[in-house]
Amino acid sequence: MPVAKKDYYEVLGVGRQASADEVKQAFRRLAMKHHPDRHATTNKKEAEEKFKEISEAYEVLSDAQKRSAYDQYGHSGVEGAFRHGNFSWEDFTHFEDLSDLFGGLDDVLSSFGLGGMFGAGGRSRSRPGQGAAGEDLGAALEVDLPQVLTGTEIPLAYKRREVCAACSGTGSRDPKGRVTCPECQGHGQVRMSSGFFTMATTCRRCRGQGEIIKEACPACRGQGRTVEDRKLTVRVPAGVDSGVRLKLSGEGEAGLKGAPRGDLYVEIRVRPHPLFERHGDDLYCELPISMVQASLGCELSAPTLDGTVTMKIPPGTQPGSLFRLRGKGLPSLRGGGRGDQMVRVEVEIPARLTAQGKKLLEEFSRISEDHLFPGIEKFWRQVKGWMKP
Ligand SMILES: [Zn+2]
Ligand SMILES: [Zn+2]
């Protein structure tokens, strides 16, 4: 059971009627308090968790549309706004609101180990001229046992970021619209005096890039990438099992400035089957037969993933007996033949008897001898042995 999520208003300590400005002030106040660099190493982790929590709340409550969805439907109303259904740092768009508190955007990002995480909009810590690689993406697919037997191809539709066609990924309305950063004169760093010290810190304005965009590209709002629909066919190999992750190289998010794309990882889940239970490469199934078939022996057809096969049941077969159908299991993902199918025989007693059937069974009972039922005989022998003083 996932832990119930806290109310965003409670997290930020504001009322439901709080204005946008009150929300922002509350967030900044809490961000100062919980910044991990202000905490001893021992509770740094805790501070980071807290920081993430308030950032998530702020991300939702600072956006009129998300806030209204949250007010109406609670947490489930905003899940779709997060790239992975859950809030992650990739979803946070307000690092700028903190940069003046913590001495620069890059410093904020790096204190959370987030440097280089953002490919778009100059959020990466990459040096000028160097693009950030595209991020990996994840998806999930369900398959049935017959598909595990043969392997299959499944169409998959998802969204991924592509280099913006309008600006070729520069993020600038005009391709030549980059100007030297006026803040740092193109150095990417600015000098700051603090008491006795003079420190060089990453320029806030250009995030160390040395130049800034004059006017943001309207198609990608300066991010350099836009979210696009992608459709492809996933080849699922025979023998896959739940939890297997298929790697589709280069099918993740686009990189910037010619940097490589991320990969797509597809996690497989095998749906339960009504007849067959999987144990590794072997399959197990139950086969009910009648008391008479078990006693006299018989030939009957048993289901397998390839269709039915004829099975011989020897006379005197006991309930729970296991029979092996060699090579009727699943192929191994690593190759090398198929597993087996194990058939567990369940013996059924007649639920009702006709008058004639009853007569015949009474007749059978009269002529039965103890040694015909070795299990019963053994049981009573043990009981007698134990009762004796
Ligand atoms: Zn663009
Ligand atoms: Zn600068």
Side-chain angles (χ1 to χ4, degrees):
M1 274 290 285
V3 183
K5 284 185 84 163
K6 275 194 215 155
D7 178 75
Y8 288 145
Y9 292 97
E10 269 174 41
V11 168
L12 291 184
V14 294
R16 301 192 89 80
Q17 309 302 329
S19 69
D21 205 47
E22 283 166 343
V23 168
K24 184 172 178 176
Q25 290 315 315
F27 170 63
R28 282 168 60 89
R29 198 171 54 243
L30 289 167
M32 284 294 274
K33 188 175 158 196
H34 294 295
H35 188 275
D37 285 358
R38 288 166 188 270
H39 295 267
T41 347
T42 43
N43 55 20
K44 196 175 170 90
K45 189 92 208 127
E46 204 179 308
E48 278 180 18
E49 282 300 310
K50 191 75 197 160
F51 192 89
K52 197 170 172 184
E53 192 177 72
I54 59 174
S55 300
E56 176 179 348
Y58 183 56
E59 183 62 35
V60 170
L61 298 188
S62 61
D63 181 298
Q65 214 178 337
K66 286 182 204 156
R67 183 171 172 176
S68 131
Y70 177 71
D71 286 345
Q72 277 185 66
Y73 307 109
H75 289 289
S76 55
V78 292
E79 268 166 20
F82 301 139
R83 290 189 65 84
H84 304 292
N86 270 319
F87 177 80
S88 71
W89 285 118
E90 284 171 74
D91 301 306
F92 192 61
T93 55
H94 298 288
F95 281 110
E96 282 88 345
D97 289 350
L98 296 169
S99 53
D100 61 317
L101 296 180
F102 302 126
L105 182 60
D106 275 2
D107 298 337
V108 177
L109 294 177
S110 65
S111 60
F112 294 101
L114 298 174
M117 164 164 182
F118 299 95
R123 271 186 177 168
S124 77
R125 288 175 64 82
S126 56
R127 286 182 294 280
Q130 210 182 31
E135 301 85 345
D136 293 337
L137 289 175
L141 280 181
E142 288 198 324
V143 295
D144 294 313
L145 276 184
Q147 295 176 304
V148 174
L149 175 64
T150 56
T152 186
E153 295 186 345
I154 299 177
L156 175 70
Y158 64 104
K159 291 188 185 302
R160 67 177 187 184
R161 283 186 277 198
E162 299 289 355
V163 172
C164 174
C167 64
S168 310
T170 60
S172 170
R173 179 190 279 270
D174 170 2
K176 294 185 188 74
R178 292 180 80 84
V179 290
T180 302
C181 173
E183 194 84 24
C184 62
Q185 281 82 40
H187 295 298
Q189 292 201 322
V190 285
R191 298 201 163 276
M192 280 176 52
S193 295
S194 164
F196 299 107
F197 305 104
T198 302
M199 309 185 294
T201 62
T202 305
C203 174
R204 231 184 276 159
R205 184 81 181 272
C206 64
R207 294 142 184 160
Q209 301 276 314
E211 46 179 27
I212 56 166
I213 290 166
K214 224 169 161 182
E215 199 182 345
C217 163
C220 63
R221 283 177 295 166
Q223 301 292 297
R225 294 188 295 185
T226 51
V227 177
E228 305 291 338
D229 290 315
R230 167 75 175 160
K231 281 184 183 140
L232 50 73
T233 302
V234 181
R235 297 174 72 97
V236 180
V240 287
D241 206 346
S242 289
V244 167
R245 289 171 91 218
L246 304 173
K247 180 181 177 180
L248 281 76
S249 293
E251 295 293 353
E253 315 260 39
L256 277 175
K257 293 180 187 168
R261 301 192 71 104
D263 302 320
L264 172 68
Y265 289 90
V266 178
E267 182 159 341
I268 298 295
R269 199 182 83 88
V270 180
R271 285 193 205 95
H273 193 280
L275 285 183
F276 303 107
E277 201 174 291
R278 180 181 189 165
H279 293 260
D281 297 334
D282 292 336
L283 293 172
Y284 280 71
C285 80
E286 286 185 358
L287 182 67
I289 61 175
S290 77
M291 167 188 91
V292 180
Q293 286 174 310
S295 189
L296 299 177
C298 66
E299 246 182 37
L300 46 71
S301 54
T304 75
L305 282 181
D306 313 77
T308 54
V309 296
T310 304
M311 251 184 87
K312 258 201 174 94
I313 303 292
T317 292
Q318 301 298 322
S321 296
L322 270 180
F323 294 90
R324 184 185 298 266
L325 300 175
R326 225 166 265 287
K328 291 293 177 190
L330 295 169
S332 166
L333 194 55
R334 288 161 297 279
R338 286 171 63 177
D340 302 329
Q341 179 176 323
M342 306 300 293
V343 179
R344 177 175 281 110
V345 166
E346 299 301 333
V347 177
E348 191 166 25
I349 311 299
R352 284 186 312 277
L353 286 174
T354 60
Q356 201 190 356
K358 190 170 177 223
K359 225 166 153 186
L360 286 170
L361 278 181
E362 280 167 354
E363 178 66 16
F364 174 75
S365 177
R366 252 193 305 282
I367 60 158
S368 287
E369 295 163 36
D370 283 354
H371 67 90
L372 298 179
F373 297 95
I376 299 175
E377 201 187 16
K378 184 180 165 200
F379 174 79
W380 288 111
R381 211 169 42 236
Q382 281 173 337
V383 171
K384 272 181 209 154
W386 168 71
M387 299 281 264
K388 264 182 195 152

